[in-house]
Amino acid sequence: MNTINTNTVRYLSLFFTIVTLSFVSMCQAQDITIPLWKEGIPNQRKTSEKEIATKTDILRIGNVQKPTLACYFPPDSINTHKAIIICPGGAYKILAYNLEGTTIAKWFQERGIAAFVLKYRLPTSNSLVIPHKAPLQDLQKAVRLVRHKAGDWQISENNVGVMGFSAGGHLVSTLGVHYNEETYQPRRLEDSLSARPDFMALLYPVITMNASYAHKGSINNLLGDSPPQTLLDYYSNEQHINSQTPPTFLVHATDDRGVPVENTLAFYQKLKIASVPAEMHVYQEGGHGFGIAPNNEQLHTWIDLLYNWILNLDNK
């Protein structure tokens, strides 16, 4: 009787161990959304302001109060151990959250790249103390957090890239040239890690704040109606490229009337001068805000080109 009980206990123990391990493995593969800041959000005061989400043709999110990171992990069988953090655009006023965020993340997830959608704070919010600093604070934190969790999430910490659309592209390029800036007081272990991305992808990005082809809406939302020249210079990202700027992939359409293609051309030219690895694709037609362009066979090719570029990067 004791033998039967002992064997039963052993079998039950083994059974529950297998179930537990399976559950843990399943949880690791699930998509999750986590808060970006766990010990108080820097550069923010308490107000009655509420986040706004409006769903029409796309999901638009405004007045972000609690930045988050939506995580999309690939199955183990196709995991490339690469990661990309995605910043939706919206002229620094809203986030085109599904068009330039979750839709893109799921595409990469299905192809073995861990993808993260950053819901970053927008400088039009009244909750911010110094509005223009908040987006960069959030993106720096996101890169550091993904690097910190790289082991748990089966990601190589040397293969963490960032990707941005329109104003999100401006935010990403801002990180690419100002990753060493101390934008917030370190509080957690991850804050000691580098915020430099291993690569960048810029989709029809806002780049400059100075030239005639600058996007006025993004300037006004980020810096206000009459910003000082020092801030215009600081956020004119083509002016700050050097040899340490991350490798960059750029996409734009020639007929973009929202954010002129000259933004991308200027950034690419400065990357070339600095000998930074870069690849640029300029389409004849596409306009602005085309996202993944699923119904346009020619324009849709950009994401496959980007995917192959990422896979061939050497960031060992």
Side-chain angles (χ1 to χ4, degrees):
M1 190 70 178
N2 289 337
T3 303
I4 295 174
N5 287 339
T6 300
N7 288 337
T8 302
V9 169
R10 286 175 179 172
Y11 284 128
L12 286 173
S13 177
L14 178 61
F15 172 77
F16 284 116
T17 298
I18 293 172
V19 170
T20 301
L21 290 174
S22 299
F23 178 75
V24 169
S25 177
M26 182 178 66
C27 288
Q28 287 176 340
Q30 286 180 339
D31 304 334
I32 58 173
T33 298
I34 60 175
L36 196 62
W37 306 93
K38 292 185 178 180
E39 295 179 355
I41 303 173
N43 188 31
Q44 185 158 312
R45 55 181 168 239
K46 189 173 182 179
T47 68
S48 59
E49 201 170 43
K50 303 294 183 183
E51 183 172 299
I52 300 171
T54 305
K55 181 70 181 293
T56 54
D57 54 330
I58 63 173
L59 175 60
R60 296 171 172 85
I61 297 178
N63 287 342
V64 174
Q65 301 297 301
K66 294 181 179 179
T68 59
L69 201 61
C71 313
Y72 294 81
F73 302 113
D76 291 343
S77 59
I78 60 170
N79 190 0
T80 64
H81 305 290
K82 295 177 181 285
I84 191 161
I85 300 167
I86 303 166
C87 297
Y92 281 120
K93 187 174 184 179
I94 59 98
L95 301 178
Y97 194 73
N98 56 350
L99 174 69
E100 298 170 347
T102 55
T103 299
I104 309 298
K106 291 173 184 176
W107 191 95
F108 279 108
Q109 177 190 38
E110 291 169 358
R111 289 157 181 83
I113 295 179
F116 304 85
V117 182
L118 178 61
K119 187 172 73 174
Y120 57 92
R121 289 171 293 165
L122 299 159
T124 52
S125 170
N126 293 323
S127 300
L128 302 176
V129 180
I130 305 176
H132 67 85
K133 286 189 174 184
L136 183 57
Q137 290 173 322
D138 291 347
L139 184 51
Q140 281 189 344
K141 181 70 170 183
V143 172
R144 289 170 172 148
L145 183 57
V146 171
R147 280 215 169 99
H148 177 65
K149 299 287 287 183
D152 295 338
W153 291 343
Q154 300 182 52
I155 295 166
S156 166
E157 63 181 31
N158 296 322
N159 281 285
V160 178
V162 288
M163 177 182 189
F165 297 76
S166 194
H170 182 265
L171 173 55
V172 165
S173 63
T174 301
L175 177 68
V177 297
H178 294 305
Y179 55 84
N180 273 333
E181 299 283 341
E182 187 175 309
T183 64
Y184 63 90
Q185 188 69 32
R187 297 179 182 176
R188 297 180 66 86
L189 185 60
E190 65 262 21
D191 295 330
S192 64
L193 300 177
S194 172
R196 180 186 181 274
D198 294 298
F199 60 89
M200 301 191 296
L202 308 179
L203 281 296
Y204 39 87
V206 175
I207 293 294
T208 191
M209 299 276 150
N210 276 322
S212 60
Y213 49 83
H215 185 246
K216 304 301 182 185
S218 294
I219 295 175
N220 291 343
N221 291 329
L222 180 64
L223 303 178
D225 294 335
S226 301
Q229 189 61 46
T230 53
L231 282 182
L232 291 171
D233 291 341
Y234 180 87
Y235 285 107
S236 290
N237 295 328
E238 79 283 1
Q239 296 182 17
H240 306 288
I241 292 171
N242 58 37
S243 61
Q244 298 305 305
T245 302
T248 304
F249 187 96
L250 302 110
V251 175
H252 221 117
T254 303
D255 66 347
D256 191 332
R257 296 183 180 180
V259 177
V261 69
E262 283 80 5
N263 283 269
T264 283
L265 299 177
F267 201 78
Y268 176 80
Q269 183 181 40
K270 292 298 179 66
L271 290 169
K272 182 180 177 182
I273 291 171
S275 298
V276 175
E279 182 167 324
M280 177 176 63
H281 296 273
V282 177
Y283 292 84
Q284 181 177 339
E285 297 179 344
H288 188 72
F290 48 78
I292 205 169
N295 300 318
N296 187 317
E297 290 186 7
Q298 183 177 3
L299 198 57
H300 181 70
T301 59
W302 73 261
I303 197 163
D304 289 302
L305 293 168
L306 171 59
Y307 177 71
N308 290 328
W309 181 80
I310 292 172
L311 291 186
N312 287 291
L313 282 174
D314 185 11
N315 290 317
K316 296 179 182 178

